[in-house]
Every structure is written in C-alpha cells, then in structure tokens.
C-alpha cells in the first residue's frame, strides 16, 4: 500500500488526499448535497460540522461509496482519492472501502469474538499469510486503537460484551486492521461518555500521523480539539472550509458564526 | 385546519389540574377498570384455548393408546416334517397350515381344561387370518425348526382383541356372523389362564397396512417410510431453493414493481389451499412429466411447492430482523455484498430460518389433501421398499393419508388404529418442534 503522501511532481507541493468537485447528491427528489467543492489534506484530521440534516453524513458516505447501498441515492460530480476518480465505472466499491475505512455513529461490532472482529477484514482481503501474521495484525490494531491492554486476556470473548467506548475503539481497530489510508468517522463519540470520548479523541490525534481522518461531529469543542481543518455545512451547501482555528475564531460567513456561537443548530 | 389547531392550542393551555394523589379520579378509575376487564378477557381466552387443547389431547390419548397393544394367543405348534411337506405341496398352502394351528389350538384348550364342542373351523375364527401365514413364514425362514415344537404368539382376531379392549361387547355379537358368546366364554377362560394376552404391538409401528378383513395386522410403518422419503425430498429441495430465493429477494434484488409483484404473490401462495397444489402436482408431475403415480418423489415435489412460501416468508423475516448496522460494518471493512450476507447476516438469521424450515416441514408432514390427488392413499400391503431409489419411486402412502384411509374403513378396529396413527404423527411433529427449539437455542447462544 502506498504510504507516501502523493506529491505533485511539477509543483512539488502536496496534493490533497481527497478532492471533491461539484458534488451533488440526491435522495430521490431531495437534493441533499449541492455543488460541494472540497479538498481534504493527507495526514490531517478534518472535521465536518453543521446543523442536523445539513448533509454531513451524506457527504462522508460519498467518500467510500457507502451511498451505493441506498437505492434511491444518486451522486454526481467528481471525487478523487490520490487523483483517481472513485466513481469511475472501473472502480470496485469493495476495493475502495478497504482503502477508505469507516467508523459508524453507533458502535457496531460483529457478534463474534474480539479477535474475529479485527481479523475479519485482513482475512477477506488476504492480508495475512499465517496465523502468526494474523495474530500480529490483531495485536497491532488493538494497540493502535488503545484497546490492547484492556482486552488482551479475553480476545475470544464476544466483542458485543465490551462497554460502549471499548466497542467503539474496537470498531476503530477493526477499521485500522485492513490498513486503510483514509478513515471516515461519523459522530464516533455521540454514544459515549466524556471519559470514553476523551480516549477516542486522543486516539484520533495519534492516528493522524498515519491516516487521513475525516470526522463528523456535533460537538464544537470536539472539532476544535481534534481537527486541524474544519468544514461547515448548511442545508446541503459547504459554507466554508479552513483551518480549524480560523473557523472558530474568525469565520468569514455569517451562518458559520451563528452556528458556532450557538444561535442555531 | 387552522381553526382546529387554534382550538387544540387553547385546550392544551387549560390550567393544571389540582387534586390529591390519594384520591383516584373518575378518568383513572375508568381506565383501570378497562385494563382489568381486558386482562380478564385475555385470561379467559387463554383458559378456553387450554381447555380445547386438553380435550383434544385427552380424546386422542383415550382413543388411540389401545392401538399400541394387541391381543396374542400363545400356542405351541408341533412342526411335523410330514405335515409341513404336505402343506407345501398343496395349492392353498396356508389352509393346511391353518389346520395344523387348529389342531394345536384344540390341544391348548384341552390341556387348559376348557371343554368345547366347537368345530376347528369355528375355533379358527378367534385367530387372525394372518396367523397361518406367519407360521409358514417362520418355518420357511427357519428350516431347522422342522420336527420340533415351536411356541408361537399368534395374533387373535380383531373381534377378540376388541372384546378384551372393551370395544366389542356381548350385545354387539348378536349381529356378528363370525363370533358368538361361546367364543367369548372361551376367550375369558383363556385370558384367565394367560394364554390370551394383550401385549405391546410393534407391528403397529413398523408393519404395513393390511386388508379390510385383518385390521389386527395393520401397521403404519410403511407409510412412515413414505413420509420419510417425502420429507427428504422437501428438505433437500425447499431449504436451498427457499433460502436462496429469500436472500436474493431481500438482499440483492432491486426494489421495483416487479419484485413487489413477486413478493405479493409469494404471500398469496402461502395462503393457497393445499389441494390446489395437489392438482397442480397431478397435472405437472404425473400427467405432463410422467413421473410415477403414488410415488414419494412426486409427493415430496408437491409438498415442496407448498412449503416454499412458508420458508421464504420466514427466511425473509429473519433476514430483515438482522440490524443494518451489521451489514454496514461488514461493507465498511471492505466486504463484498455477498460476503456481508454469508459471513454475517445469514448466521444471525439462522435460528429464524431453521425454525421456519422445520415448521414448514411439520406442516408438510401433516398434509393430506394434495396426496389424495396424486394417489398417495394407495393400499400398500407390501413391506419396506428395497433400496433408496425404490423408496423414492415405488408407490407408497404417507402417515396422514394412511390415517385417513383407516378412518374411512368400516371396521371399528381400523378406527382405533387411525387414532393410534394420529398419536404417532403428533409425536413426530412434537419431536420436530423440539428440534426447532433446540437448534434455535443452540444458534442463539452464540451471544
Ligand atoms: N437514506 C436516506 N433516504 C432519504 N433521504 C435521506 C437519507 N439519508 C439522509 N437523507 C436526507 O438527506 C439530508 C442530509 O442527511 P444527513 O444524514 O446527511 O444529515 P446529517 O448532516 O448527517 O445530519 P445529522 O447531524 O442529524 O446526522 C437530510 O435532509 C435527510 O433527510
Ligand atoms: Mg449524520
């Protein structure tokens, strides 16, 4: 897998990991995403914020084509990862999803053992040659997700028997285990208590070193704490995008200002 | 519209109610009374249901248990070589054997001290007409026994059996040309001497059907084999077809008019009377495809048609009940649609699928009407079919069809067997349901 950031050979500058141009999403007649242009940088955490129903999740799901599973959903425009059009007919969404992992709002471990939860992805992608290989991947992923110490003695117990926060970290470990390049997180902490949330935020910060992370959140504080860049969505439009600090201290748009000061949303 | 909103708006704004919590107001009292009444209705419905069930079971047990015992007459029969050779040479072999048994029976009577002036022919009426055949079968199977005296437990005739079971009374015998009161006196004394005895009747469970005149010989065993082969066909065809169809419809098929139509039709098929499937099977499998009549293969095919909707509906319901988050989780780590279904959704849906399948099978096992139309109510007096292929293709009956057949016959001895057959059928159904429960538990315990 290509671990090196892609560099524009001519300009010598960093290309964005993901670039979206003129993205439109429709659910039947509903126009959920309107003309969104957005670049997402490699090895940074980008936060999507915005009032409920503004299309954050919808846009996030475009990035690994999870929207394909919704019959009435139609995506238009151009989304590229490392310069490759992910909606090209030649692209197999299954392969794409191994490259762009996802963590969901509600922790959703498989009703299998902790070990099998993490080993499942590597197994179906043929990432391990032997049992020892697989053991190592599992241990590594758990370590990266900061869960290893808590569960190392009970890897064969059901993943569903963990606490909510542990389950969410298990899901993150599961996503990491297939060595993705991008991890999408849709409100990963909304079902968790402050302590578990703090752990996950810490984890996201560590993961930034190796992954491109996009996180949807309703918590302004969380966005401020974990992200380097923030995108504000409103009614299907991308209102503004920039350095997180800039967005929170000095937003250019009135709507952004209203939202972060809590006037609506 | 706006007016009503305004009105309700005013109603909501009514002042807060005041009152002690210790006093129950009239509205609450009414609500509580309604709830109590509803509970009463529910409870009485359950009780009525239970009463019916108890009555049903009691009837079945009281009518059917007697079919499991049968009256036997214990007779030591001297198997003289000369007599047997003579019998084997004659044209009607069993009648000679009957004579041998008659003599032996007369000896039994006299050694038990029972005096009678009845002819051998009259005495013979106390025995099943199959007795001679069973002696002959024994002799042919054990040639070494010739020249010795072997003690046989021979079936008593169904009237004698009925008398000992209380089904035949002395009053009944006035119209009976076979047996009269004198016979019954002998039976009383023989039974006091232990020569005539009721015993557990394995023949009823494992034997074949018998002709109208020999109810005491009839058994449900052969039709049980017929049912078994039919169930094999149903299981082997309907489980994979049903599950594959449901997975396709539920997980892969686009949702459009066409699949909606299929869905509606499957639900409708589940409600189609089974006799319709019977006539369909007659037309398609026998008249068109020229499969043999009365064969368990055809019966199984017809019952498969009937069971498929049940299995498809229950499988789809259990697939639907698997939370979508599991599917998302699998897709999210890059599993293909099929992997997500087979690795995650299907195992979780398994208990429901198995339960549905077994319930479908149980329904099929008890189904009679379609079998009437494809001729699976034949009189099958021969024994077990030879080999597996014959099991599928040779004419056979099925348990419910056999029960129906017995219930139709005039002799009350067959009626008793019909009840007994129902007990066996119910035992099978109960076993299947228990298996369903066990499987469900087993699969669900995987957290
Ligand atoms: N499966 C769907 N079918 C039809 N419409 C949908 C579907 N999912 C989302 N929508 C619509 O698309 C719009 C954007 O929804 P989306 O879930 O992306 O919002 P969101 O920003 O994630 O909101 P929240 O913060 O509440 O999760 C909404 O108007 C929603 O009603
Ligand atoms: Mg959302």
């Amino acid at each position: 897998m290509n671990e090196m950031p892609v560099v524009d050979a001519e300009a010598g500058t960093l290309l964005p990991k993901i670039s979206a141009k003129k993205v439109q999403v429709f659910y039947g007649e509903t126009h959920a995403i309107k003309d969104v242009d957005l670049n997402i940088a490699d090895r940074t955490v980008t936060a999507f914020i915005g009032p409920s129903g503004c299309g954050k999740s919808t846009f996030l799901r475009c990035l690994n084509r999870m929207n394909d599973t919704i019959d009435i959903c139609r995506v238009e425009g151009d989304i590229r990862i490392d310069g490759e059009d992910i909606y090209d007919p030649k692209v197999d969404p299954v392969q794409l999803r191994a490259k762009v992992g996802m963590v969901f709002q509600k922790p959703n471990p498989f009703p299998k053992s902790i070990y099998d939860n993490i080993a499942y992805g590597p197994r179906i992608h043929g990432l391990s040659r032997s049992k020892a290989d697989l053991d190592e991947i599992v241990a590594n992923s758990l370590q990266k997700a900061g869960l290893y110490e808590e569960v190392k003695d009970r890897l064969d117990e059901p993943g569903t028997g963990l606490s909510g926060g542990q389950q969410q970290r298990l899901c993150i470990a599961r996503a990491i285990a297939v060595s993705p390049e991008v991890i999408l997180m849709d409100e990963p902490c909304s079902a968790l208590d402050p302590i578990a949330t703090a752990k996950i935020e810490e984890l996201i910060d560590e993961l930034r070193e190796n992954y491109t992370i996009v996180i949807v959140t309703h918590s302004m504080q969380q966005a401020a704490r974990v992200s380097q860049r923030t995108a504000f969505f409103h009614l299907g439009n991308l209102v503004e995008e920039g350095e997180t600090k800039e967005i929170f201290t000095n937003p250019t748009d009135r709507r952004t200002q209203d939202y972060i000061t809590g006037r609506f949303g | 519209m706006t007016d009503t909103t305004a009105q309700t708006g005013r109603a909501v704004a009514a002042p807060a109610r005041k009152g002690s919590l210790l006093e129950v107001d009239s509205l609450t009292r009414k609500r509580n009374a309604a709830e109590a009444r509803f509970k009463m209705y529910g409870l009485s419905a359950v009780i009525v249901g239970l009463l019916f069930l108890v009555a049903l079971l009691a009837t079945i047990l009281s009518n059917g248990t007697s079919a499991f015992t049968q009256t036997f007459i214990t007779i030591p029969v001297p198997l003289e070589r000369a007599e047997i050779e003579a019998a084997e040479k004659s044209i009607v072999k069993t009648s000679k054997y009957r004579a041998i048994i008659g003599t032996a029976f007369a000896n039994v009577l006299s050694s038990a001290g029972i005096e009678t002036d009845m002819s051998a022919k009259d005495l013979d009426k106390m025995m099943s007409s199959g007795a001679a055949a069973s002696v002959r079968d024994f002799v042919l199977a054990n040639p070494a026994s010739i020249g010795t005296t072997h003690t046989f437990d021979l079936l008593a005739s169904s009237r004698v059996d009925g008398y000992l079971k209380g089904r035949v009374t002395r009053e009944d015998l006035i119209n009976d040309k076979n047996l009269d009161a004198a016979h019954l006196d002998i039976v009383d004394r023989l039974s006091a001497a232990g020569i005539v005895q009721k015993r557990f009747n394995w023949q009823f469970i494992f034997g074949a059907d018998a002709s109208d005149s020999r109810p005491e010989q009839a058994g449900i065993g052969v039709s049980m084999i017929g049912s078994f082969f039919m169930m094999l066909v149903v299981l082997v065809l309907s489980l994979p077809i049903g599950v594959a169809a449901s997975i396709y419809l539920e997980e892969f098929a686009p949702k459009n008019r066409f699949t909606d139509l299929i869905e509606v039709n499957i639900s409708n098929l589940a409600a189609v009377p089974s006799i319709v499937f019977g006539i369909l099977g007659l037309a398609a499998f026998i008249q068109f495809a020229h499969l043999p009549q009365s064969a368990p293969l055809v019966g199984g095919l017809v019952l498969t048609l009937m069971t498929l909707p049940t299995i498809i509906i229950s499988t789809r319901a259990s697939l639907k009940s698997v939370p979508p988050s599991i599917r998302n989780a699998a897709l999210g780590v890059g599993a293909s649609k099929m992997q997500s279904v087979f690795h995650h959704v299907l195992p979780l849906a398994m208990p429901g699928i198995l339960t549905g399948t077994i319930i479908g099978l149980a329904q099929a096992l008890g189904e009679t009407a379609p079998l009437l139309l494809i001729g699976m109510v034949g009189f099958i007096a021969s024994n077990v079919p030879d080999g597996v292929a014959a099991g599928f293709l040779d004419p056979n009956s099925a348990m419910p069809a056999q029960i129906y057949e017995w219930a139709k016959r005039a002799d009350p001895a067959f009626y008793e067997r019909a009840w007994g057959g129902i007990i066996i059928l119910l035992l099978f159904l109960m076993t299947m349901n228990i298996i369903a429960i066990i499987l469900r538990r087993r699969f669900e315990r995987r957290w």
Side-chain angles (χ1 to χ4, degrees), chain A residues 6 13 15 39 48 66 81 89 96 122-123 140 148 150 152-154 170 180 186 198 241:
Chain A
V6 176
T13 55
L15 271 184
N39 286 340
F48 288 179
M66 277 303 264
I81 293 184
L96 170 70
R123 266 193 202 127
N140 255 333
Y148 188 67
E150 288 158 71
K152 64 173 186 240
D153 299 323
R154 45 180 180 138
L170 180 66
D186 194 347
E241 193 269 344

Side-chain angles (χ1 to χ4, degrees), chain B residues 274 303 363-373 377 399-402 404:
Chain B
S274 56
L303 294 180
Q363 263 175 18
L365 181 66
E367 198 55 68
T368 326
L371 303 183
L372 302 183
L373 285 170
V377 278
M399 281 196 283
Q402 181 72 73
Y404 167 75

Side-chain angles (χ1 to χ4, degrees), chain A residues 64 66 69 71 94 97-98 100-102 104 108-113 120-121 124-125 156-160 174-175 178, chain B residues 252-255 323-344 347-348 446-447:
Chain A
N64 67 345
M66 277 303 264
T69 60
D71 280 333
V94 170
R97 287 182 204 132
V100 184
M102 188 156 197
F104 296 83
N108 55 355
F110 299 128
K112 296 174 189 273
S113 70
Y120 179 70
I124 58 171
H125 295 300
D156 50 356
E157 279 175 33
T160 40
R174 182 175 67 189
V178 290
Chain B
F252 293 95
K255 303 272 171 287
S325 65
I326 297 291
R327 283 165 242 251
N328 285 338
L331 294 178
V333 294
S336 68
K337 183 101 194 176
M338 195 171 134
Q339 285 172 327
S340 91
V341 170
F342 280 88
H343 296 166
H344 301 286
L348 289 176
R446 291 222 233 121
W447 55 73

Side-chain angles (χ1 to χ4, degrees), chain A residues 148-212:
Chain A
Y148 188 67
E149 286 306 316
E150 288 158 71
V151 301
K152 64 173 186 240
D153 299 323
R154 45 180 180 138
L155 289 178
D156 50 356
E157 279 175 33
T160 40
L162 297 172
S163 77
Q166 288 173 325
Q167 285 188 20
Q168 195 61 299
R169 276 180 286 152
L170 180 66
C171 292
I172 294 177
R174 182 175 67 189
I176 295 172
V178 290
S179 340
E181 294 165 32
V182 180
I183 302 177
L184 310 175
M185 301 186 180
D186 194 347
E187 302 183 39
C189 301
S190 65
L192 305 182
D193 70 302
I195 295 173
T197 301
K199 276 199 179 142
I200 301 228
E201 286 178 3
E202 227 171 89
L203 171 61
I204 292 173
D205 206 46
E206 283 164 21
L207 293 175
R208 174 163 62 98
E209 269 180 45
N210 298 307
Y211 304 91
T212 304

